[in-house]
Amino acid sequence: MSPKTDEFTVSARDTHQLAEKEAIGRACAELILPNQSVIIDAGTTVYHVARHLESKAPQIVTNSLPVANLFASANRLEVVVSGGVIYPRLGVLVGPLAVEAFSKIHADVAIMSAGGISLEGITNSHGLLIDIQRAMIHGAQKVIFCFDHTKFGRKSVLPLCDLDCVDTIVSDNGAPTELVQGLRARGIEVVVAPAAETANLAPEALRDSR
């Protein structure tokens, strides 16, 4: 069993469910239209989405140091990095300056992750992130959450938001069918990323309508 503290360490967390995160990253990136403005939070799964976004030439707004570094030399897109205090264990900028930055930003899409999802809502593990993520959600026209299957049915430390705040959830094919169906019944689009051997399928084949 992995140490519980891995949840708070970005380098350790990014080694968990790596293949699933990469599949989720590809599938989520397919949902982004060229030249959209995109908020990207600091989750490791969301980092894998960012890896596939450069060709879309979006405007990216983030508090994630790994995402900012990923695009540091990219010429096709503009990256806005929030202010805040560096929290090294999470690779993220936190604090009042980060909250204020996102409270003033309007974006087409927010791509988010969190510690757990159930039919009762979405939870996260660290209080320093909650207010920032809520500001991200309020500033976006469309909210996408990315969860690997281990986050389904899990309740983390603190409530983040109700399911009413969520437009789309992207997960891998290990996501429990009953919970996926329950989310769809609540009007949420659920995109199931393909397994590695079918990763090149067209995105239309991967998603069900609401």
Side-chain angles (χ1 to χ4, degrees):
M1 181 177 293
S2 299
K4 292 182 179 179
T5 51
D6 278 4
E7 188 174 359
F8 300 95
T9 307
V10 63
S11 59
R13 287 185 295 127
D14 199 37
T15 64
H16 300 164
Q17 286 74 52
L18 191 57
E20 290 90 341
K21 290 178 181 180
E22 184 62 14
I24 291 168
R26 288 191 299 265
C28 184
E30 291 290 342
L31 305 177
I32 306 304
L33 300 176
N35 302 311
Q36 284 192 313
S37 54
V38 182
I39 293 171
I40 299 181
D41 83 355
T44 56
T45 305
V46 174
Y47 175 82
H48 288 266
V49 182
R51 283 165 37 88
H52 297 278
L53 285 182
E54 186 170 355
S55 64
K56 303 293 183 76
Q59 181 182 44
I60 289 175
V61 187
T62 188
N63 65 332
S64 166
L65 298 179
V67 170
N69 185 62
L70 175 68
F71 296 121
S73 59
N75 295 320
R76 296 191 58 194
L77 47 81
E78 177 181 318
V79 180
V80 177
V81 181
S82 74
V85 178
I86 295 175
Y87 192 74
R89 293 178 69 191
L90 294 177
V92 64
L93 292 162
V94 299
L97 289 176
V99 176
E100 182 180 3
F102 285 104
S103 69
K104 296 179 178 179
I105 285 172
H106 300 279
D108 295 312
V109 184
I111 304 176
M112 318 280 296
S113 61
I117 180 170
S118 70
L119 292 180
E120 297 177 21
I122 294 175
T123 55
N124 212 350
S125 55
H126 208 295
L128 290 174
L129 301 179
I130 296 293
D131 287 344
I132 298 170
Q133 289 189 298
R134 287 174 179 168
M136 292 175 173
I137 291 169
H138 291 314
Q141 291 184 340
K142 180 177 182 179
V143 176
I144 301 173
F145 270 88
C146 297
F147 294 103
D148 70 67
H149 66 274
T150 66
K151 304 293 180 66
F152 277 72
R154 177 181 178 183
K155 292 183 180 179
S156 199
V157 180
L158 296 168
L160 172 56
C161 67
D162 295 329
L163 294 179
D164 292 344
C165 297
V166 183
D167 297 295
T168 302
I169 291 170
V170 185
S171 188
D172 60 82
N173 57 7
T177 301
E178 183 177 355
L179 186 47
V180 168
Q181 291 175 344
L183 292 167
R184 286 174 173 156
R186 296 282 294 270
I188 298 172
E189 178 188 34
V190 180
V191 177
V192 178
E197 62 269 22
T198 58
N200 292 322
L201 286 176
E204 291 77 14
L206 308 181
R207 72 179 78 102
D208 291 343
S209 60
R210 294 187 176 208

